Amino acid sequence: MRLVTFAASNLKRRPARTVLTIIGIALAIGTAVALLALGRGITESLSQGFSERGSELIVGPRGIVDVTAMRLPEAMAGDLAAIEGVRSVAAELFAFSATGEGQHVLVTGWQPEAADWRSAPLLSGRLPAAGGREVLLGDIVAQTLSARAGDVVELFDEEFLVSGVTGYGTPMNRGMAIMSLGHLQEATFREGQVSYFTVQLETGIDAAEAAAVRKRIGDALPVIVSDMHELADQLQSDRNISVLRAVSQAISVVAIVMGALNLLSTLLLSVQERTREIGMLAAIGWSDGQVVRLIVLEGLCIGLAGSVAGVAIGVAASHFFGSIPSIGDIIAFAPRPRDILLPVLFAVPLSALGAAYPAWRAVRMLPAQALRQT
Amino acid sequence: MTEPALLRLEGVHRWFDHRRIVALADVTVAFRADESTALVGASGCGKSCLLNVAAGLDRPDRGAVYWKGRRISSRAEWARLRRAEIGIVFQEFHLIPTLTARQNVELARIGVERDGRDGAARVDGILDRVGLAARHASLPGELSGGERQRVAIARALVREPEVLFADEPTGNLDSANTEAVAALLFELQRERRMCLVLVTHDPALAARCGRVVRMSDGRIVEDTAKRGGAA
């Protein structure tokens, strides 16, 4: 018989207690997995959304640590377009608006001549008419607001006609309302301002030439130029996202530590109940190290079982949250291996640590003393 | 010629409750190979305490315990001795209820050796020797008191120790099982030329030993060898 068989047999003696402890750890790991996926999902959703629309480069203001506070003068579009190697420039403004139903919708404003209008995948209806107070809704927003082409929705306390519904593939675009830049600037009191520019380079240029164009832009204007990968990295340092990520990580750590304390209490109780048995093991020649290994192994078994169940809960919770319109509209809520690995790598050693104290208590007694316990 | 002592207690004192209770008072005694010794005396006279100190389950407050002439004091040394040289059987069998008879015996071999086939053969052999080969897959709850004590004896002997301590090994058994377990213990002692030290209240069991050590108030008051046994 191996030590692990004995450890498993000990855990089966009190199945309800073992299962409850595993559930405690599983919930902690599940919470951590879901929260870490949330923190990362926001930044990835933004860069995926831009990529889907064929954006190559994003030009934004330098030194901004709050993505919602990005501002550039709309007139800078002309300066950008004049730079050698730039094929087209589109200005965009974005803002969040409350809807009549008390939900929040990401609204973006595009210039009338932007190529994005022509490539927008329409599921129903048509593009907004020039000059009209009209809006395109992503399919998830349309579903959330129960709106179809031809309906009227309320954004920024004003009514807009839904001209059509788009069928983008990424959560950001599916959860976005699109109106003309002018209407959004007016509604948000940001006349002449945009959040960023999307830039497309001349076709057929190689990587070295693309880098040269980026350098020319950076030299000519007080802006930062990013491709989609760089954008995701830069968004990591966004103040709001950083705060959200820090809160997620703190809650994850608290959840996992609580899971480990739960394990500690279970093993303490188990060791206390088995004091005489541990005395017997010492009497038949088990060393202190063997007894410690047994109890730590029991802790590790619970920790591993809790981790496996926790990962399943975390993935399931992420899918569930992703299906809630107010969350799934904006965030790609799918845990990556890193989101799963981090809590597990934290929880499993913590389980061993949680078992170490009961193990130490188990071996500090003389065997005769342990055998006398009632 | 007298065998050299395997285990020797010298000037051993053991107190409890801040010296208010004297369990052992200046006890000096030696146990030799191929010798059966009964520790007898009234309840609370220190028999079990002497056994515990001799097996390293308890620590003397004063005095020393020697194994083959070498003083043993650390927990690790005692664990090594119990793993290889000393077997212990208790009145209460202390079997793990969720493990089979065979697995309970195997407990004593975890970490002892890496040769699994040799270990398995030893477990089979000792289970066969104590008459439990057919019941090796039974859980303790499915065994009679006598069978459980046989499992405990097998667990104590699977490592082929030189000394077997038995603390009231028949105390929880009916008369038929008492006789069977006692017969088994003495047969095994003779076969293996072990040192057997029995704590017992049973005069009949004590009478089967080659030596009787009588205790009173933590002291040895009589140490009698019979049929040529060492005193």
Side-chain angles (χ1 to χ4, degrees):
Chain A
M1 187 175 60
R2 293 160 68 181
L3 197 63
V4 69
T5 315
F6 186 32
S9 147
N10 287 336
L11 294 174
K12 281 188 216 158
R13 282 201 226 172
R14 299 273 191 180
R17 191 166 64 194
T18 300
V19 167
L20 284 174
T21 310
I22 289 173
I23 289 172
I25 291 175
L27 288 176
I29 301 270
T31 305
V33 167
L35 285 174
L36 291 176
L38 168 71
R40 190 189 37 73
I42 294 172
T43 56
E44 286 191 353
S45 294
L46 287 171
S47 59
Q48 284 166 5
F50 286 121
S51 293
E52 184 184 21
R53 283 163 40 206
S55 307
E56 288 179 71
L57 296 176
I58 300 293
V59 175
R62 284 178 187 163
I64 289 287
V65 291
D66 178 355
V67 73
T68 56
M70 283 165 61
R71 298 282 184 280
L72 285 173
E74 188 180 352
M76 194 182 274
D79 301 329
L80 277 167
I83 291 172
E84 187 190 345
V86 171
R87 178 162 58 96
S88 65
V89 176
E92 288 188 24
L93 177 65
F94 72 80
F96 283 94
S97 168
T99 67
E101 285 73 25
Q103 283 147 327
H104 293 173
V105 172
L106 174 65
V107 183
T108 185
W110 292 349
Q111 291 170 305
E113 64 276 19
D116 285 322
W117 289 116
R118 291 188 294 279
S119 60
L122 281 175
L123 286 179
S124 62
R126 53 168 176 77
L127 295 177
R133 299 187 71 81
E134 296 182 359
V135 68
L136 274 182
L137 296 183
D139 59 330
I140 292 180
V141 181
Q143 194 185 332
T144 307
L145 301 179
S146 304
R148 291 182 299 181
D151 291 348
V152 171
V153 293
E154 198 176 293
L155 296 168
F156 304 106
D157 272 342
E158 292 179 34
E159 291 188 337
F160 287 84
L161 175 74
V162 178
S163 69
V165 175
T166 60
Y168 284 107
T170 56
M172 183 182 92
N173 293 337
R174 293 180 72 192
M176 191 165 69
I178 309 161
M179 61 176 64
S180 78
L181 179 64
H183 280 129
L184 187 55
Q185 286 172 329
E186 187 189 327
T188 56
F189 305 101
R190 293 181 193 168
E191 279 87 354
Q193 291 184 339
V194 298
S195 299
Y196 51 85
F197 296 97
T198 60
V199 171
Q200 287 183 312
L201 304 180
E202 294 290 358
T203 49
I205 65 171
D206 60 22
E209 284 174 284
V213 176
R214 288 178 59 172
K215 186 169 185 315
R216 280 199 287 277
I217 295 173
D219 290 345
L221 299 165
V223 293
I224 185 162
V225 186
S226 321
D227 63 21
M228 294 312 121
H229 292 297
E230 291 162 343
L231 180 69
D233 290 342
Q234 283 158 17
L235 287 169
Q236 293 291 335
S237 57
D238 176 83
R239 189 193 61 181
N240 300 317
I241 293 170
S242 298
V243 169
L244 179 67
R245 203 170 46 243
V247 170
S248 299
Q249 286 167 352
I251 294 172
S252 303
V253 169
V254 169
I256 292 173
V257 168
M258 283 177 71
L261 285 176
N262 186 21
L263 173 77
L264 175 95
S265 117
T266 295
L267 288 177
L268 267 178
L269 205 59
S270 165
V271 164
Q272 199 175 343
E273 282 174 358
R274 291 188 288 149
T275 303
R276 299 181 80 190
E277 188 180 301
I278 289 163
M280 179 277 292
L281 293 174
I284 64 170
W286 278 45
S287 64
D288 290 351
Q290 279 180 295
V291 174
V292 168
R293 278 200 292 279
L294 172 71
I295 294 163
V296 169
L297 196 58
E298 289 175 20
L300 277 173
C301 286
I302 291 179
L304 279 171
S307 296
V308 170
V311 167
I313 290 174
V315 171
S318 299
H319 285 295
F320 170 71
F321 290 133
S323 72
I324 297 173
S326 57
I327 300 173
D329 285 5
I330 315 167
I331 306 165
F333 216 137
R336 288 256 180 106
R338 187 169 173 268
D339 304 328
I340 290 168
L341 216 59
L342 269 178
V344 171
L345 287 180
F346 186 58
V348 172
L350 205 61
S351 300
L353 206 64
Y357 175 63
W360 172 77
R361 278 179 63 117
V363 297
R364 70 179 179 163
M365 257 190 244
L366 284 166
Q369 205 181 348
L371 286 162
R372 274 197 297 270
Q373 295 277 313
T374 49
Chain B
M1 190 178 142
T2 308
E3 290 262 356
L6 282 178
L7 200 59
R8 178 176 170 78
L9 282 73
E10 206 167 279
V12 166
H13 292 254
R14 184 71 174 111
W15 304 296
F16 293 100
D17 197 16
H18 305 285
R19 293 197 175 202
R20 278 193 281 271
I21 298 170
V22 179
L24 295 176
D26 197 19
V27 169
T28 297
V29 65
F31 301 109
R32 295 176 176 79
D34 199 16
E35 175 189 68
S36 59
T37 304
L39 293 178
V40 298
S43 290
C45 71
K47 305 184 296 289
S48 293
C49 187
L50 172 56
L51 184 143
N52 285 341
V53 171
L57 302 178
D58 204 353
R59 217 178 0 229
D61 291 309
R62 189 188 296 168
V65 184
Y66 297 87
W67 172 258
K68 294 183 178 174
R70 192 166 61 88
R71 184 172 181 167
I72 305 297
S73 50
S74 77
R75 282 177 73 110
E77 282 176 305
W78 274 117
R80 269 196 297 276
L81 266 184
R82 287 193 299 270
R83 194 149 61 237
E85 312 291 359
I86 296 174
I88 307 170
V89 177
F90 300 95
Q91 177 177 357
E92 290 169 30
F93 321 117
H94 290 304
L95 301 180
I96 307 291
T98 48
L99 298 183
T100 64
R102 185 190 168 81
Q103 287 174 322
N104 268 288
V105 176
E106 284 174 337
L107 270 186
R109 294 201 61 81
I110 288 181
V112 171
E113 62 183 320
R114 295 188 183 279
D115 186 344
R117 277 176 303 180
D118 181 44
R122 284 185 190 216
V123 173
D124 289 337
I126 192 69
L127 279 169
D128 187 38
R129 180 62 191 84
V130 300
L132 286 176
R135 308 222 55 189
H136 71 93
S138 302
L139 293 171
E142 298 161 352
L143 299 173
S144 69
E147 287 172 324
R148 285 183 222 174
Q149 192 58 296
R150 283 164 183 266
V151 176
I153 291 170
R155 184 180 61 193
L157 294 182
V158 70
R159 296 182 311 268
E160 299 180 356
E162 292 189 62
V163 180
L164 178 64
F165 289 109
D167 191 356
E168 299 275 9
T170 57
N172 274 347
L173 304 179
D174 59 27
S175 57
N177 276 311
T178 293
E179 176 48 36
V181 166
L184 177 67
L185 280 174
F186 286 105
E187 276 170 31
L188 288 166
Q189 187 268 324
R190 279 192 298 274
E191 275 171 26
R192 297 176 177 222
R193 298 176 59 82
M194 279 186 308
C195 168
L196 172 65
V197 181
L198 277 173
V199 168
T200 184
H201 280 111
D202 182 352
L205 197 58
R208 294 168 80 156
C209 293
R211 176 185 173 201
V212 176
V213 173
R214 184 170 300 281
M215 295 188 70
S216 177
D217 297 331
R219 293 176 186 278
I220 293 176
V221 292
E222 190 183 331
D223 190 343
T224 314
K226 297 187 294 185
R227 299 193 295 273

